[in-house]
Amino acid sequence: MLNRLVICFCLLAVPFISNSQNKAETIKITLAPGEKVWAGVINDGHLMPFSGDYSMDLYGNNKSNQLQPLILTSKGQFAWSEQPFKFEITGSEILITDPFHTTVAGKEGNTLAEVQKFVSKQYFPASGKLPDTLLFARPQYNTWIELTYNQNQADVLKYARGIVDNGFPPGVIMIDDTWQEDYGLWQFHPGRFPNPKEMVDTLHQMGFKVMLWVCPFVSADQAMIYNKLSGEKAFLLERKSETDTWESQSKPLMVEWWNGQSAVLDFSNPAAVDWFTGRLDRLVKDYGIDGFKFDAGDMYFYPSNGISKGNVTPNEQCGLFARFGLEYPLNEYRACWKMGGQPLAQRLQDKAHSWNDLQKLIPNMILEGLCGYPFSCPDMIGGGEWTSFLDPSTLDQDLTVRSAQCHALMPMMQFSVAPWRILDSAHLDAVKKAVALRAKFTPLIMQLAHEAATKGEPIMKSMEYEFPGQGFENNKDQFMLGHSVLVAPMLEKGRASRNVTLPAGKWKTPEGKILKGGKTYELPVALDGLLYFEKSE
């Protein structure tokens, strides 16, 4: 029975101003002894359930990853808002500071699964649609680590041929930043891509679908494009005083981001939406591009000294950018706001080539599913932080193998660094074995993806979600694929065995051995081994 306290619920537009300038209300949630808390801050999923004090302001801050204005507990309590709020967890209570008066708090059921299913249906219902299924069915390949800021036709094709020639199945290939002439000039660089249509046709013939990296920025150096869009006030405009309005201003705000300073498109203005859509559609029509990696839509690129036509929050700008993906089933996002239940592929924030970051994958991916983002990718195998690969002497072959194994039974699996370039034959064979294992489980992964699209449940679930009350609240190194497959990757350097705690019941190993649940086992793990167990009736 729902026992819901409606604090205030409103869908009206809110002003593009700082939280501190709004009269805020404080909402208190009291926690029972042992009650655990998760919140919709994906990049901090490895801190959850929280074991100490924590605070976060969701306004304009997505920590370079998805945000969802959601709080869940292991005892069925929740909070949801249509707008960003600030919260802190101290001792036995959660305090929510709500400047926009849209927060709903209550209780549904007595477990994490019960409350997640309720909030999913109530606040971010499943759309019934999936992103392009090739994102699940085969490994993905991104050119970033191999080519970084030198994307070019010859090396893209070399990378693709290396995939096939080394025994990996073709799938989606993503051509990353610098394929284009400039930011905003969304056409292939003629010097680096002399015949892009021929390249795309070749990739299609090899069995790949092709994605291109795009962002919402326009370089001021592109005078014709910049001046045209400035004349239509399609950019975020500069606010010089508190009394400035969109109608009174016309100068674009130059925003600093990781590739310099640019004007940023204001997607609350239909002129910006129409222009950007036209550029994407032209790439589809002229070159046969299949989809797009939508990057850099972060909320903090819409600062408080900017004015938008729609007078929307930075969070909503991020959400408006995410809506482009609804028109292109082959999509990927790293930053997102309040798009749970939608057919968007969500990727974790870039991870370093480190064991510490490898250990973040399971809890962060689990949190994505709880927040309505089940179609998720755990960044790139071995890490997607490109500076980690600049010094070859720091590369860890075991880490790359364990990363591939961790990805193998997650919703998506993405390569970037070429494993055949950095691995010896034993380690490369181990990675291929992980890919083969994924192929074996692909029918189950596809079934779960379709169920997630209709029911809103996660594809990969925490042990606590599936087995409440069995002491799994703090487990972060195992996960469930659906209801019946328990996965326990090796996440520590130099280990030849690991502990696995099996829930009550009977569990079958890949070798067919039946283990009794309700116990913890220390099990050996070979270099090419991934521990997984299937529930046995």
Side-chain angles (χ1 to χ4, degrees):
M1 177 68 67
L2 172 64
N3 177 21
R4 185 175 66 207
L5 171 63
V6 178
I7 306 302
C8 182
F9 190 80
C10 177
L11 289 175
L12 298 177
V14 295
F16 184 68
I17 56 178
S18 168
N19 283 13
S20 61
Q21 295 171 313
N22 292 273
K23 185 177 180 181
E25 187 171 2
T26 299
I27 299 139
K28 179 179 177 180
I29 298 175
T30 302
L31 301 172
E35 187 168 6
K36 301 296 184 178
V37 181
W38 290 259
V41 186
I42 302 302
N43 206 31
D44 281 348
H46 56 284
L47 303 177
M48 302 177 207
F50 297 108
S51 58
D53 293 351
Y54 179 87
S55 65
M56 175 60 60
D57 188 347
L58 301 184
Y59 186 94
N61 177 10
N62 59 352
K63 300 200 73 172
S64 300
N65 230 165
Q66 301 84 19
L67 280 186
Q68 191 77 315
L70 176 68
I71 295 173
L72 299 173
T73 82
S74 59
K75 302 294 186 181
Q77 296 199 79
F78 73 91
W80 167 263
S81 182
E82 292 299 323
Q83 296 294 342
F85 56 78
K86 181 178 180 179
F87 70 97
E88 58 179 325
I89 303 171
T90 56
S92 61
E93 64 183 17
I94 305 169
L95 297 176
I96 300 172
T97 305
D98 174 20
F100 298 115
H101 300 248
T102 64
T103 298
V104 179
K107 188 176 188 298
E108 177 68 23
N110 296 297
T111 68
L112 180 62
E114 287 173 327
V115 70
Q116 192 277 335
K117 292 173 185 177
F118 168 77
V119 297
S120 171
K121 291 179 181 178
Q122 189 76 11
Y123 302 114
F124 41 94
S127 68
K129 298 179 180 179
L130 282 165
D132 191 304
T133 56
L134 189 58
L135 293 165
F136 307 92
R138 297 280 184 89
Q140 306 164 15
Y141 306 90
N142 187 292
T143 61
W144 177 242
I145 297 298
E146 290 299 301
L147 306 183
T148 58
Y149 289 106
N150 185 31
Q151 305 290 319
N152 65 87
Q153 182 168 332
D155 286 335
V156 168
L157 290 172
K158 179 181 177 182
Y159 182 61
R161 292 188 182 104
I163 292 166
V164 176
D165 291 348
N166 284 280
F168 291 83
V172 172
I173 189 167
M174 304 177 185
I175 304 175
D176 221 285
D177 184 10
T178 68
W179 66 268
Q180 74 281 0
E181 281 202 62
D182 202 353
Y183 303 111
L185 186 55
W186 299 113
Q187 57 191 38
F188 282 93
H189 190 286
R192 295 194 297 272
F193 292 86
N195 195 333
K197 180 65 166 63
E198 180 181 87
M199 177 193 70
V200 174
D201 288 345
T202 300
L203 291 170
H204 284 162
Q205 291 165 10
M206 295 172 67
F208 292 95
K209 286 188 177 182
V210 184
M211 295 176 70
L212 295 178
W213 180 96
V214 293
C215 70
F217 289 104
V218 175
S219 172
D221 293 334
Q222 292 302 318
M224 293 181 65
I225 297 172
Y226 178 84
N227 290 337
K228 173 184 182 299
L229 293 173
S230 293
E232 297 176 351
K233 299 174 76 168
F235 297 124
L236 191 69
L237 304 181
E238 183 177 0
R239 181 196 301 275
K240 296 181 179 179
S241 73
E242 289 298 323
T243 59
D244 287 343
T245 64
W246 185 83
E247 289 76 12
S248 69
Q249 298 302 303
S250 61
K251 182 180 179 181
L253 176 67
M254 299 307 293
V255 175
E256 187 170 351
W257 63 300
W258 63 75
N259 282 330
Q261 289 190 337
S262 303
V264 59
L265 291 164
D266 170 18
F267 290 125
S268 73
N269 187 339
V273 175
D274 292 345
W275 178 83
F276 195 63
T277 300
R279 304 286 78 73
L280 301 181
D281 287 347
R282 183 184 60 79
L283 291 164
V284 172
K285 178 181 177 182
D286 292 354
Y287 301 105
I289 297 303
D290 300 294
F292 300 95
K293 173 181 176 177
F294 295 94
D295 202 5
D298 303 79
M299 300 166 197
Y300 44 78
F301 295 141
Y302 293 85
S304 59
N305 62 328
I307 308 175
S308 63
K309 179 178 175 64
N311 202 30
V312 299
T313 65
N315 301 59
E316 185 59 18
Q317 287 283 6
C318 181
L320 291 171
F321 186 48
R323 292 188 177 278
F324 284 98
L326 301 179
E327 302 300 320
Y328 305 94
L330 196 55
N331 60 68
E332 184 193 88
Y333 284 89
R334 173 190 48 76
C336 213
W337 167 254
K338 218 177 70 173
M339 292 295 286
Q342 299 302 312
L344 302 177
Q346 307 284 354
R347 176 176 62 84
L348 293 186
Q349 162 67 1
D350 299 9
K351 297 291 180 284
H353 183 73
S354 73
W355 292 92
N356 182 60
D357 272 13
L358 177 63
Q359 292 163 13
K360 296 177 182 178
L361 296 188
I362 291 176
N364 288 18
M365 289 286 287
I366 283 170
L367 184 60
E368 294 231 76
L370 291 175
C371 291
Y373 300 129
F375 313 127
S376 51
C377 179
D379 194 34
M380 301 167 181
I381 289 168
E385 177 52 62
W386 68 282
T387 57
S388 298
F389 295 88
L390 294 178
D391 182 359
S393 68
T394 64
L395 295 181
D396 187 328
Q397 295 195 58
D398 285 0
L399 172 61
T400 303
V401 169
R402 298 308 188 192
S403 178
Q405 292 167 346
C406 194
H407 281 233
L409 297 184
M410 288 181 169
M412 298 179 187
M413 182 181 199
Q414 185 176 122
F415 288 95
S416 190
V417 67
W420 55 89
R421 178 176 67 82
I422 67 168
L423 301 180
D424 60 29
S425 58
H427 288 82
L428 181 59
D429 287 345
V431 169
K432 289 183 180 180
K433 187 174 179 179
V435 174
L437 179 64
R438 180 179 184 82
K440 173 184 174 182
F441 279 93
T442 294
L444 175 59
I445 293 171
M446 294 306 305
Q447 174 191 329
L448 294 170
H450 283 284
E451 290 178 2
T454 56
K455 298 180 181 179
E457 289 190 48
I459 295 172
M460 71 177 273
K461 307 171 183 181
S462 69
M463 301 299 296
E464 172 64 18
Y465 186 101
E466 196 66 20
F467 303 101
Q470 295 191 35
F472 288 110
E473 298 95 331
N474 296 313
N475 186 289
K476 300 180 184 182
D477 64 355
Q478 301 175 189
F479 66 90
M480 293 297 297
L481 178 62
H483 300 291
S484 61
V485 180
L486 188 158
V487 187
M490 176 62 79
L491 304 174
E492 297 182 39
K493 182 178 177 64
R495 294 286 302 276
S497 65
R498 63 153 289 172
N499 289 337
V500 179
T501 302
L502 299 178
K506 296 179 179 179
W507 296 86
K508 184 171 67 173
T509 70
E511 297 77 25
K513 183 179 179 180
I514 301 296
L515 298 180
K516 183 179 179 180
K519 298 175 60 177
T520 297
Y521 297 85
E522 183 175 356
L523 300 171
V525 186
L527 173 66
D528 63 354
L530 170 62
L531 294 177
Y532 66 92
F533 309 84
E534 296 182 75
K535 198 172 184 180
S536 178
E537 298 299 333

